Amino acid sequence: MNNKGMNLVVDYGNTSAKVGIFNQQELVEKRTIAALPELKSLLELSEAENIIVSSVSHSPDDIVSWASKARRRYLLDHRLPLPIRNHYRTPETLGVDRIAGVCGAIQLFPESNTLTIDAGTCITYDFSDAEKNYMGGSISPGLTMRFRAVHEYTARLPLVNPIENPAFTGDSTESAIQSGVYYGMLEEINGVVAAYNKKYTGLKVALTGGDARFFENNLKASIFASPNLVLIGLNSILNYNVNR
């Protein structure tokens, strides 16, 4: 990565790391890295001026220490100042990926009521108002978790993989599970969006996460799908702290 003088953001999830290079607010390069030694090597060679690390698995202190050439280094946790007002009652329990996604949505839709939906291991819904007040949201089981629950909490039902646009009326046990799980989750998302739309005017909806592709074209409301929403949010938080 030729990243001298730029921002480097790292989103380390349960299985891999997403790394983004930003020139101010523009994402100029992105990588997904599965092996920790590869991430370590990349950060040791990086000449980025600023770095922020968000991690839900590996120690963020270790990761940020590898970027030894960076002038400013930040860890995203509940103590780091944010470009929003956080009204979550237990900020120390708030997932760093959730708050980064919210900041990404606000970066994309400033001065708007926003609903951030992250369809990952769990599906999370997070609301922030037009004055950048983050109010909280909700968490429910994600797509894969629902398929596993159908299998693991029954004696004979198989473990089924999700598919895009399954038949609404399943004509086999496998397709019936695919229909029930998929359309149940689709209607959940539609219902949550409709409830927020009813309460807040001019609502903007941002959808991200590994399972977003299963739903983005079938939702009733207008949404903005962004696979880089968390990276955008991390960069927003980084710029905010650099410029304070």
Side-chain angles (χ1 to χ4, degrees):
M1 284 186 174
N2 182 10
N3 48 42
K4 192 170 184 178
M6 295 190 180
N7 288 349
L8 188 151
V9 305
V10 179
D11 172 31
Y12 200 99
N14 291 308
T15 58
S16 64
K18 293 181 180 179
V19 180
I21 293 293
F22 286 81
N23 183 2
Q24 297 297 320
Q25 296 180 3
E26 180 188 2
L27 178 62
V28 295
E29 190 172 352
K30 172 187 169 183
R31 289 188 188 180
T32 300
I33 298 173
L36 201 60
E38 183 182 352
L39 177 63
K40 183 174 185 290
S41 176
L42 184 148
L43 295 184
E44 287 175 341
L45 294 173
S46 171
E47 295 184 349
E49 186 170 4
N50 312 302
I51 180 174
I52 187 169
V53 173
S54 166
S55 177
V56 298
S57 52
H58 193 78
S59 166
D61 296 276
D62 285 348
I63 296 172
V64 79
S65 71
W66 298 334
S68 58
K69 297 178 184 178
R71 288 181 56 203
R72 303 177 187 89
R73 297 181 286 177
Y74 301 94
L75 303 177
L76 179 56
D77 61 21
H78 69 280
R79 296 164 295 188
L80 188 67
L82 300 170
I84 61 172
R85 288 178 287 276
N86 188 355
H87 295 273
Y88 208 66
R89 190 166 54 84
T90 56
E92 69 279 1
T93 70
L94 179 61
V96 289
D97 50 346
R98 288 177 66 189
I99 202 64
V102 168
C103 290
I106 291 174
Q107 177 72 40
L108 295 173
F109 304 113
E111 301 180 1
S112 294
N113 295 317
T114 63
L115 179 64
T116 305
I117 304 174
D118 191 333
T121 304
C122 288
I123 182 166
T124 58
Y125 306 87
D126 290 288
F127 175 75
S128 54
D129 68 17
E131 285 74 43
K132 298 184 179 181
N133 292 294
Y134 169 64
M135 308 307 296
S138 55
I139 305 171
S140 72
L143 195 61
T144 299
M145 192 181 295
R146 297 180 195 215
F147 279 109
R148 288 187 60 184
V150 169
H151 170 62
E152 294 176 8
Y153 287 94
T154 62
R156 299 182 63 184
L157 291 178
L159 179 60
V160 177
N161 293 318
I163 61 172
E164 296 187 35
N165 300 311
F168 186 74
T169 302
D171 59 3
S172 67
T173 299
E174 179 175 332
S175 60
I177 294 171
Q178 287 169 330
S179 172
V181 170
Y182 175 81
Y183 288 105
M185 188 164 166
L186 179 65
E187 288 310 304
E188 174 191 308
I189 298 172
N190 279 325
V192 171
V193 172
Y196 275 101
N197 257 320
K198 187 175 181 180
K199 189 171 183 179
Y200 299 100
T201 60
L203 183 74
K204 303 293 185 181
V205 182
L207 176 66
T208 193
D211 289 334
R213 62 187 176 88
F214 290 103
F215 302 100
E216 59 184 286
N217 295 321
N218 293 325
L219 293 172
K220 295 176 182 177
S222 175
I223 59 124
F224 179 81
S226 173
N228 301 318
L229 193 67
V230 170
L231 295 181
I232 293 169
L234 286 172
N235 185 62
S236 171
I237 297 168
L238 178 55
N239 282 330
Y240 178 77
N241 280 275
V242 166
N243 296 325
R244 288 180 73 229

